[in-house]
Amino acid sequence: QVQLVESGGGLVQAGGSLTLSCAASGLTFSRYAMGWFRQAPGKEREFVVAISRNGNTDYADSVKGRFTVSRVNAKNTVYLQMNSLKPEDTAVYFCAADDAWGWSVSRDQTSYDYWGQGTQVTVSS
């Protein structure tokens, strides 16, 4: 069965950095666009960034210039490098896989076929 497993979350001070990983299994990773979403306490889950099969990216304005997404198809893994973290980045971060057509990416959560369980990121002020 398909599994997406996030790791790398934790507690960090404002201004610090973290790198999240999402390891996929049970699917042909290179055929999927991958997305990162987050859900803060009391808020709805929101789009963070997506990367297409060929590396096209789309970032939410709130993280543009601070977060960087990448993927290594040989390792079936997508990464999220998060720099200059702010308290408002505190959330559970989820990765998701989208059997997207071509090189497209989507901000729409309903486009994604598989989801991980999430990893907690807490940024202290």
Side-chain angles (χ1 to χ4, degrees), residues 2-4 6-7 14 30-32 39-40 44 47 55 59 73 75 80-81 94 101-102 110 113 117:
V2 175
Q3 282 192 314
L4 301 178
E6 302 95 337
S7 61
S30 60
R31 293 180 55 181
Y32 285 78
Q39 187 167 21
E44 293 188 351
F47 170 79
Y59 291 87
N73 288 343
K75 294 186 176 181
L80 182 63
Q81 173 69 42
F94 300 88
W101 181 86
T110 63
D113 305 287
Q117 292 299 305

Side-chain angles (χ1 to χ4, degrees), residues 38 46-50 58-65 67 107:
R38 67 186 181 186
E46 65 176 7
F47 170 79
V48 176
V49 61
D58 180 26
Y59 291 87
D61 288 345
S62 59
V63 305
K64 199 172 294 184
F67 289 12
R107 298 187 174 203

Side-chain angles (χ1 to χ4, degrees), residues 81-99:
Q81 173 69 42
M82 305 185 295
N83 298 327
S84 302
L85 282 161
K86 304 175 181 180
E88 51 264 45
D89 294 318
T90 294
V92 177
Y93 283 71
F94 300 88
C95 71
D98 176 10
D99 188 10

